[in-house]
């Protein structure tokens, strides 16, 4: 079945440091890939997405590129802020015609940014 | 805009008790989902629904039941609570154009079974 593997956390960085959170996936066909973010006490919300190979998703200074050859979708940000402290989830969906679209999630990576 | 509303936010149950986790949406989305989030384990799909009157099992359905009588509501029922059901539960909705759009999540229900 489909699966998503994220780098284990937690990750602690100083403000303005460079962030990379690795994500690789296993899925047949051509999945869409997502990064969701969960701030403390809240539900998940979409951070960015990419729906085909070589697409780059970006939002709020975060970027991720859909690499089909390496089955990866690594999240990056050049300069993190304290407000970026959250849990980040990589996810995929491979909805096929006639079936419900199901999101498959990675285990999440806790990011803490120190001032 | 309310979006996806889950109630209650917190609950403590004793082993063997029953309860219903409520999920309501005002987005007119056909697809609704229940996930559980265990520490370090990501989110696991419990049940999902593609429309009123239609439900199906996800990855971890044992110990749970759902119903979908309206587009807006998708309650999750725990009949005989067990400690293994201690978790954070999230309800989510999506439109049929899922692969190109996002899913919307409620704020979660933190359930402890003692």
């Amino acid at each position: 079945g489909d699966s998503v593997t994220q780098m284990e956390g937690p990750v602690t960085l100083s403000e303005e440091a460079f962030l990379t959170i690795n994500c690789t996936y296993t899925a047949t066909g051509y999945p869409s890939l997502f990064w969701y973010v969960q701030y403390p006490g809240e539900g998940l919300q979409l951070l960015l997405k990419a729906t085909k190979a070589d697409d780059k998703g970006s939002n709020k200074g975060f970027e991720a590129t859909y690499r089909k050859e390496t089955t990866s979708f690594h999240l990056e940000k050049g300069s993190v802020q304290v407000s970026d402290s959250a849990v980040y989830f990589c996810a995929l969906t491979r909805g096929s015609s006639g079936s419900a679209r199901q999101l498959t999630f990675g285990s999440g990576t806790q990011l803490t940014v120190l001032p | 805009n309310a979006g996806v509303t889950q109630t209650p936010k917190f609950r403590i149950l004793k082993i063997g008790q029953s309860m219903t986790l409520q999920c309501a949406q005002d987005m007119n989305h056909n697809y609704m989902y229940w996930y559980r989030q265990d520490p370090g384990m990501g989110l696991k799909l419990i049940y999902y629904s593609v429309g009123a009157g239609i439900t199906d099992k996800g990855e971890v359905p044992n110990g749970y039941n759902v119903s979908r009588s309206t587009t807006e509501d998708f309650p999750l029922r725990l009949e005989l609570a067990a400690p293994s059901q201690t978790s954070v539960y999230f309800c989510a909705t999506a439109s049929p154009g899922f692969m190109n759009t996002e899913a919307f999540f409620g704020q979660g229900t933190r359930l402890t079974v003692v």
Side-chain angles (χ1 to χ4, degrees):
Chain A
D2 298 342
S3 66
V4 177
T5 302
Q6 284 183 239
M7 66 182 289
E8 292 189 9
V11 175
T12 302
L13 295 173
S14 297
E15 206 165 23
E16 299 184 2
F18 184 84
L19 169 71
T20 299
I21 301 177
N22 290 338
C23 171
T24 58
Y25 68 89
T26 301
T28 57
Y30 302 93
S32 292
L33 302 174
F34 304 81
W35 277 100
Y36 279 81
V37 59
Q38 183 182 26
Y39 298 104
E42 299 184 11
L44 282 70
Q45 55 187 276
L46 181 68
L47 179 61
L48 53 84
K49 68 178 187 288
T51 58
K52 60 182 187 297
D54 299 325
D55 267 2
K56 178 185 284 189
S58 62
N59 186 23
K60 299 180 180 179
F62 291 89
E63 292 183 340
T65 301
Y66 188 164
R67 302 286 189 200
K68 191 165 179 62
E69 64 276 14
T70 55
T71 63
S72 65
F73 192 54
H74 305 321
L75 182 68
E76 296 182 335
K77 187 174 185 182
S79 177
V80 294
Q81 306 300 312
V82 172
S83 57
D84 294 327
S85 298
V87 182
Y88 292 82
F89 291 91
C90 187
L92 69 82
T93 184
R94 194 176 48 81
S96 57
S97 177
S99 70
R101 277 57 168 170
Q102 298 181 29
L103 274 172
T104 299
F105 286 90
S107 58
T109 301
Q110 171 77 55
L111 170 67
T112 301
V113 181
L114 302 176
Chain B
N1 292 334
V4 182
T5 302
Q6 288 184 239
T7 55
K9 287 188 169 50
F10 304 94
R11 183 72 185 268
I12 298 174
L13 278 183
K14 294 184 178 179
I15 295 171
Q17 286 185 322
S18 301
M19 78 164 293
T20 299
L21 282 66
Q22 301 291 344
C23 177
Q25 55 117 345
D26 62 0
M27 309 177 81
N28 202 32
H29 283 167
N30 289 340
Y31 295 166
M32 295 188 75
Y33 307 84
W34 275 106
Y35 287 89
R36 58 178 287 171
Q37 181 184 23
D38 299 322
M41 298 296 291
L43 279 74
K44 302 292 186 183
L45 181 65
I46 306 171
Y47 271 95
Y48 65 97
S49 169
V50 300
I54 305 170
T55 63
D56 208 344
K57 296 178 180 179
E59 186 179 355
V60 290
N62 291 344
Y64 306 95
N65 278 299
V66 294
S67 60
R68 184 92 182 271
S69 58
T70 66
T71 298
E72 294 77 20
D73 299 298
F74 190 42
L76 178 71
R77 178 82 177 162
L78 283 70
E79 290 295 347
L80 292 171
S84 61
Q85 294 176 305
T86 294
S87 189
V88 181
Y89 292 83
F90 286 100
C91 178
T93 73
S95 68
F98 197 129
M99 289 191 75
N100 296 315
T101 63
E102 66 184 286
F104 294 85
F105 286 79
Q107 290 194 322
T109 295
R110 185 176 295 275
L111 176 66
T112 303
V113 182
V114 296

